[in-house]
Amino acid sequence: MLRIPALTIAALALLAVAGCGKQETAEPSPGSAAVAARPADPALAEVYDGSCKLCHANPAAGAPLSGDHKAWAPRIAQGTDTLLDHTINGYQGMPPMGLCMQCSEEELIALIEFMSGAKLDP
């Protein structure tokens, strides 16, 4: 018969109890909500998936993430005309038209509103 010393049993018991304490929950990554976000309108969702999502759902891209109101606030404060101009002509790392060459101004505005969570002034 195998004999296990009492000290070994006590040490194993302490290790087992230590693992039963309060578990830390992992914080969601900054981009997890952006990755899951999608416009309700199916046609707009298709455009978002094909043009916007690559940068606006990827924290490494440096673009403001979809649904990140804090990151979008200074951009929204610039006004609709400036946002639309930056979207159409490109701005810093953003390519012209956000890679959606077939998008109308109305679609671009709807996409900006979706990603920013803000209603733009006409």
Side-chain angles (χ1 to χ4, degrees):
M1 179 168 203
L2 182 63
R3 299 194 90 190
I4 301 174
L7 188 56
T8 303
I9 293 173
L12 290 172
L14 281 174
L15 287 173
V17 171
C20 293
K22 181 180 173 187
Q23 299 291 322
E24 294 292 324
T25 55
E27 294 275 331
S29 66
S32 63
V35 170
R38 225 165 164 248
D41 177 87
L44 204 59
E46 188 174 323
V47 172
Y48 174 77
D49 286 346
S51 298
C52 311
K53 189 174 183 175
L54 180 65
C55 296
H56 291 281
N58 178 4
L65 297 176
S66 296
D68 185 346
H69 305 293
K70 186 176 177 182
W72 279 96
R75 292 161 173 89
I76 297 300
Q78 294 177 29
T80 303
D81 290 340
T82 299
L83 275 170
L84 199 54
D85 177 65
H86 289 173
T87 304
I88 292 170
N89 298 308
Y91 183 74
Q92 294 180 350
M94 182 172 171
M97 298 296 288
L99 298 178
C100 183
M101 300 308 168
Q102 77 281 4
C103 281
S104 67
E105 286 188 10
E106 291 77 20
E107 288 170 312
L108 294 173
I109 288 172
L111 287 162
I112 294 167
E113 288 179 338
F114 162 73
M115 290 185 287
S116 68
K119 183 74 175 149
L120 298 178
D121 294 325

